[in-house]
Amino acid sequence: LSRQDILYLVSESSSLSVGSLFVPLTFGLYWKPANALGCLASMILGLGVWMLCEFVWKTVFPSVLYGIFASLIGMLLGSYLYPKKV
């Protein structure tokens, strides 16, 4: 909210979407073991790591890459630790 440049704001909002929503959406559509807990863990971890890397730590790689990786880890852990009941 403190940014004055509209292009920077749009860039941050798209990074937020990619870092926290891309993995759960893609895995939810195409991966059978995906479940609600995996999706929630994926969104929370992706968003949290993206925000830490974007605003707290200064990272070498773009912060969205760290967010996607954390989101992937959250999806895999949440889906494998608590599988769907058949």
Side-chain angles (χ1 to χ4, degrees):
L1 294 173
S2 64
R3 310 278 193 240
Q4 296 296 322
D5 187 16
I6 188 69
L7 295 175
Y8 192 75
L9 289 171
V10 171
S11 170
E12 279 187 352
S13 67
S14 64
S15 295
L16 171 71
S17 302
V18 169
S20 64
L21 299 177
F22 175 73
V23 172
L25 178 66
T26 306
F27 275 60
L29 288 173
Y30 298 112
W31 193 50
K32 294 295 181 194
N35 59 15
L37 183 66
C39 288
L40 283 173
S42 176
M43 288 187 281
I44 291 169
L45 278 176
L47 177 66
V49 169
W50 175 78
M51 289 181 74
L52 280 174
C53 290
E54 184 74 22
F55 300 114
V56 178
W57 303 322
K58 298 302 175 192
T59 58
V60 176
F61 297 109
S63 57
V64 71
L65 293 177
Y66 295 105
I68 289 174
F69 184 70
S71 185
L72 180 65
I73 296 294
M75 173 61 82
L76 293 175
L77 286 177
S79 295
Y80 281 132
L81 292 178
Y82 299 99
K84 291 182 193 177
K85 304 280 192 247
V86 178

